[in-house]
Amino acid sequence: RPARFLRLGSAGLSGTVERLKEDGQYTVRLDPSGAAGLQQPPLVAFDPSGCNFEFAGIFRYAIGQALVVHVELPPAKGGAIKREWRNASVVALSDSSRCMHTVRLKQTAILPEEDVIVSLSEANHTPAWLSSETFELLARRHRRSIRASFGFLTEP
């Protein structure tokens, strides 16, 4: 499961969201550096509102977690670099960098299965609730629906 990290308020505390409670508050485990060096960092209740937090954007996934990852593909001879979304699964985590994962890109009709190292960010991956193929199919359907519903509108 992905770990969601927060920086809390102006105190410079940071922590990991453990769970979301029914009342809308989060249970957050403070990082050791923000918990006065305690052996077991405390759990605290946190109510995100306004500007009292920011996402730190650090992602850690368990080995085997299915992802969809945006990757650059090597250019065909004389061609441009191609970028696309690929189905993948986590193979290994880096010891040196919190966001680095080795992922196994799944085989496609034209590309073989391969392992690559990626630095995961908010913009280049998502947990694989849908495969990239299913997402593209649904996106095409949505575009057709929007065109059919609003095709009569003209640009100013």
Side-chain angles (χ1 to χ4, degrees):
R1 105 181 183 218
R4 301 179 199 285
F5 289 75
L6 299 171
R7 287 190 200 96
L8 308 175
S10 60
L13 300 176
S14 60
T16 303
V17 173
E18 294 284 328
R19 69 186 181 105
L20 172 62
K21 299 187 299 184
E22 287 185 24
D23 63 2
Q25 287 203 353
Y26 289 87
T27 301
V28 176
R29 182 168 306 281
L30 294 179
D31 291 343
S33 61
L38 298 175
Q39 287 264 337
Q40 177 66 15
L43 285 172
V44 297
F46 177 68
D47 180 17
S49 60
C51 297
N52 68 349
F53 74 97
E54 66 182 40
F55 290 105
I58 297 172
F59 298 91
R60 295 288 285 180
Y61 293 97
I63 292 174
Q65 170 71 47
L67 302 173
V68 178
V69 181
H70 195 256
V71 294
E72 284 187 1
L73 303 173
K77 197 170 193 174
I81 292 175
K82 183 178 179 186
R83 295 171 178 89
E84 72 176 25
W85 291 95
R86 295 272 304 270
N87 297 319
S89 62
V90 175
V91 177
L93 306 175
S94 169
D95 291 331
S96 61
S97 173
R98 293 167 112 172
C99 294
M100 298 298 283
H101 291 67
T102 301
V103 299
R104 179 160 296 137
L105 300 176
K106 304 297 182 189
Q107 181 176 344
T108 68
I110 57 172
L111 296 169
E113 181 175 274
E114 67 176 310
D115 289 357
V116 297
I117 297 172
V118 293
S119 176
L120 298 177
S121 71
E122 294 91 344
N124 70 354
H125 82 286
T126 184
W129 294 307
L130 298 174
S131 70
S132 59
E133 295 86 5
T134 302
F135 176 83
E136 289 300 330
L137 172 70
L138 294 172
R140 280 193 299 274
R141 284 184 188 166
H142 181 67
R143 283 190 295 270
R144 281 194 303 266
S145 171
I146 293 297
R147 277 191 222 113
S149 297
F150 301 103
F152 63 91
L153 296 174
T154 58
E155 290 185 40

